[in-house]
Amino acid sequence: MLELTESARQELDAYFKGKEKSDIRIYLAPGGCTGPRLALAIDAATEDDQSEEQGGFTFCINKDLLGQIEGVKIDLTHMGFMVEPTVPLPQSGGGGCSGCSGGCGV
């Protein structure tokens, strides 16, 4: 279900240094111009979740969402964590920033 890159693991290690580790939720966040995206948050797993341990961290994701995307890769970029689904999420019909009437601030 989950691939955690070494750079992402190191960033999580740095974040939790001196703190108790918590479950990390992979969730569907509302998107801007391109539609919804996957994101990370600190949150405890529920009975509706699938949990998996990677790199010393426990990740949870809603079982229905996991069924839709089949898996996830968590990486680190210069802009923060990038959470990529194995099966791409459907994009909004906006067609990029031109579809949001300039609301992106670009």
Side-chain angles (χ1 to χ4, degrees):
M1 155 184 111
L2 178 69
E3 177 186 350
L4 179 67
T5 67
E6 181 62 18
S7 59
R9 187 199 58 76
Q10 289 174 357
E11 186 70 12
L12 288 171
D13 279 339
Y15 175 79
F16 282 106
K17 186 174 183 172
K19 303 177 196 172
E20 185 177 336
K21 289 183 182 176
S22 302
D23 291 352
I24 302 169
R25 175 168 300 283
I26 302 164
Y27 71 101
L28 191 60
C33 297
T34 59
R37 62 181 175 78
L38 294 177
L40 302 177
I42 304 297
D43 189 26
T46 70
E47 64 185 33
D48 294 328
D49 294 325
Q50 171 78 32
S51 294
E52 181 175 321
E53 187 172 325
Q54 284 285 330
F57 298 94
T58 301
F59 294 87
C60 61
I61 186 171
N62 178 274
K63 292 174 186 174
D64 292 337
L65 177 57
L66 179 59
Q68 179 183 354
I69 63 170
E70 297 182 10
V72 117
K73 177 181 179 182
I74 301 171
D75 199 1
L76 186 68
T77 70
H78 67 282
M79 302 214 22
F81 289 105
M82 182 171 51
V83 187
E84 297 179 90
T86 302
V87 174
L89 295 165
Q91 300 299 305
S92 69
C97 282
S98 63
C100 64
S101 302
C104 296
V106 178

